[in-house]
Amino acid sequence: MPILSAVLYPVYMYQMQPAWAEWTRLMELPFVACELAIIHVAIARGYHDGSIWRMLPRDIKIALVLLGIGLTTSSVFVSRNVPASITLSIITLIHLRFAAAMFFLAQRERAARLESFFLWLGVGLVALTLLTALKFHFPPPESAVPGGQIHWPSALPGFINVRHFGSWTGAIAAGLMVALLYGRQKERGTTQLFYLLATGLTCWSGTRAAILAMGMVAVIALASMRRLPNGRSLTQIAGLSALALFGAVLLSPDLPEFALFLRDNLQSADAITSGRTRLWHDTFYRWLDSPIFGWGSGSTFWEVNIGWSHTQPHNAVLQFLISWGVVGAAGGLWLLGRAIVAIHPTGMGDERLRPLAGMTYSLLFMSLLEGMLHYPRFIMAIMIGFAVLLAARQQEGAMGRHSALDD
């Protein structure tokens, strides 16, 4: 899907022309269409919403009802941009149904099949690297670009901006890091090469949130495993990370948007967070004006302005609150928390699943600093992580029950 997005949206400026094409790019509608296609595949194989609903614990059902009430009420009766809010609310429901469909499909797969998942992600990174190199080395004449000037931070193939790009590569790097630290030894050489590429691209993009997320995932893995990785793995990770950083610095464009750190960042807390503290402050106080149901899905864009508008507040908790109020946010955050608790033992207990758990945790951590729970491509990855790990957890439970019966 990222490769398809790169082909569909050959952007060298903040936005595309015509306006409807830019709207589909910002909403990442091709990814939503992909979710709908996978839901259709699941239905063709016997998926039913009712069967999934009957499996859910009571508290999860209550959380889903609260989320449904929050996003419906806020978008229909409160929002100042009802069409946009309703569209985003429908997409949110599609994400949830996609997760259920993926869970249904993953139940039929063996965990061993998941080893190819990161192989394909790595192959995709190679293709993205080639597309990025071609785009940066063979740009069109600036006179052919809307506005008459190329905006390089927005010129990443298929991504809205360079931070968007770095968040994707950083999540993959986090999963590969876990594979090298606590994973299987099989095909370790390939994993090392993909880790080097993913980490290099992340550093090249200057996405500090992704680097922080990799560190957080390492801490989670260490705490979960309760043992240090072996010395060889630590040496390999340190060496590959240093090499990735060196290559990123060597090849990085001489533009502040691509820098991991600037001296000006030390001027204030707002500068260190690239303006996030002010955005968080204004978003929080705008939510207080409508605390119960918020201002409608996606309302950060038209309700909060700190000199320019943001599509989302770069924090999942604030995003839920301003979009759906306390009612919807309570349901959404409960679902996230319960899912994390449910997948953790399986995700960190099976060496084949640890990379997927690491990638999922990375995206969830970044959602506190970026828009991982706003953009469909990242939501898809998170939902896949939850669905596959929950399916593996259920398979473990079924195997345990069969073993007990045999005994």
Side-chain angles (χ1 to χ4, degrees):
M1 286 307 300
I3 300 302
L4 177 60
S5 182
V7 174
L8 291 174
Y9 303 114
V11 180
Y12 279 94
M13 188 52 189
Y14 288 111
Q15 53 187 337
M16 289 188 68
Q17 297 295 333
W20 65 264
E22 175 63 10
W23 183 76
T24 66
R25 184 176 80 102
L26 289 176
M27 300 284 283
E28 295 195 332
L29 291 187
F31 289 86
V32 179
C34 180
E35 288 183 313
L36 290 170
I38 292 173
I39 291 170
H40 178 75
V41 170
I43 291 173
R45 296 186 181 183
Y47 167 81
H48 296 285
D49 293 320
S51 60
I52 297 294
W53 177 261
R54 287 188 291 273
M55 291 174 58
L56 297 176
R58 183 181 179 186
D59 65 305
I60 299 298
K61 292 179 179 178
I62 293 173
L64 284 169
V65 170
L66 288 174
L67 176 60
I69 292 172
L71 66 85
T72 302
T73 304
S74 65
S75 297
V76 175
F77 299 106
V78 183
S79 176
R80 292 196 296 172
N81 190 343
V82 172
S85 289
I86 289 177
T87 301
L88 286 167
S89 293
I90 291 172
I91 290 174
T92 300
L93 296 176
I94 290 173
H95 294 323
L96 292 172
R97 198 176 188 210
F98 168 74
M102 282 300 306
F103 172 77
F104 171 81
L105 294 172
Q107 285 179 299
R108 303 183 173 195
E109 298 292 339
R110 292 178 290 108
R113 292 280 299 274
L114 297 172
E115 293 179 82
S116 63
F117 182 67
F118 273 85
L119 173 63
W120 283 109
L121 287 176
V123 171
L125 279 184
V126 173
L128 276 178
T129 303
L130 293 174
L131 286 171
T132 304
L134 288 172
K135 196 164 188 180
F136 273 66
H137 283 88
F138 301 100
E142 291 199 340
S143 58
V145 177
Q149 183 180 2
I150 293 175
H151 186 255
W152 288 110
S154 298
L156 281 298
F159 291 85
I160 292 171
N161 57 41
V162 66
R163 298 293 181 262
H164 202 228
F165 176 87
S167 298
W168 180 261
T169 62
I172 296 173
L176 293 168
M177 176 188 67
V178 174
L180 290 174
L181 290 176
Y182 291 108
R184 305 179 76 184
Q185 299 298 314
K186 183 181 178 182
E187 298 180 351
R188 196 173 182 85
T190 304
T191 303
Q192 291 172 356
L193 290 175
F194 285 151
Y195 173 78
L196 176 64
L197 178 61
T199 306
L201 290 172
T202 304
C203 295
W204 176 83
S205 72
T207 308
R208 294 193 295 269
I211 302 296
L212 286 172
M214 291 175 67
M216 181 58 65
V217 168
V219 170
I220 292 172
L222 177 62
S224 302
M225 302 302 296
R226 298 182 182 179
R227 62 177 173 83
L228 287 171
N230 61 57
R232 181 184 176 188
S233 296
L234 286 172
T235 302
Q236 288 176 343
I237 284 290
L240 290 169
S241 299
L243 184 59
L245 179 59
F246 176 76
V249 172
L250 188 65
L251 299 173
S252 180
D254 189 19
L255 294 168
E257 293 89 349
F258 288 80
L260 271 172
F261 180 79
L262 294 170
R263 188 174 299 175
D264 291 344
N265 293 146
L266 296 176
Q267 292 179 353
S268 65
D270 197 50
I272 291 173
T273 60
S274 301
R276 282 171 176 76
T277 54
R278 183 181 173 191
L279 178 62
W280 294 337
H281 173 276
D282 288 12
T283 301
F284 179 78
Y285 280 97
R286 187 60 180 139
W287 161 66
L288 288 179
D289 293 332
S290 180
I292 305 301
F293 292 112
W295 292 100
S297 296
S299 55
T300 301
F301 188 67
W302 54 84
E303 294 292 345
V304 181
N305 192 302
I306 58 171
W308 64 92
S309 297
H310 286 261
T311 55
Q312 41 83 27
H314 295 270
N315 180 278
V317 177
L318 289 174
Q319 177 188 326
F320 287 10
L321 286 172
I322 195 171
S323 296
W324 311 319
V326 170
V327 174
L333 292 173
W334 184 265
L335 290 174
L336 278 176
R338 283 281 271 121
I340 292 169
V341 171
I343 69 169
H344 183 77
T346 301
M348 284 296 161
D350 190 328
E351 62 184 9
R352 295 167 299 185
L353 298 173
R354 281 179 203 137
L356 182 59
M359 179 178 176
T360 305
Y361 284 145
S362 170
L363 290 167
L364 290 170
F365 177 79
M366 278 192 281
S367 74
L368 300 176
L369 301 167
E370 298 285 356
M372 275 62 259
L373 287 170
H374 172 81
Y375 296 111
R377 78 176 68 213
F378 298 112
I379 296 175
M380 277 187 72
I382 291 170
M383 293 304 182
I384 288 170
F386 279 146
V388 171
L389 293 172
L390 286 170
R393 174 176 177 262
Q394 189 179 62
Q395 289 173 352
E396 286 180 356
M399 290 176 62
R401 288 191 296 273
H402 286 311
S403 178
L405 289 173
D406 292 340
D407 292 340

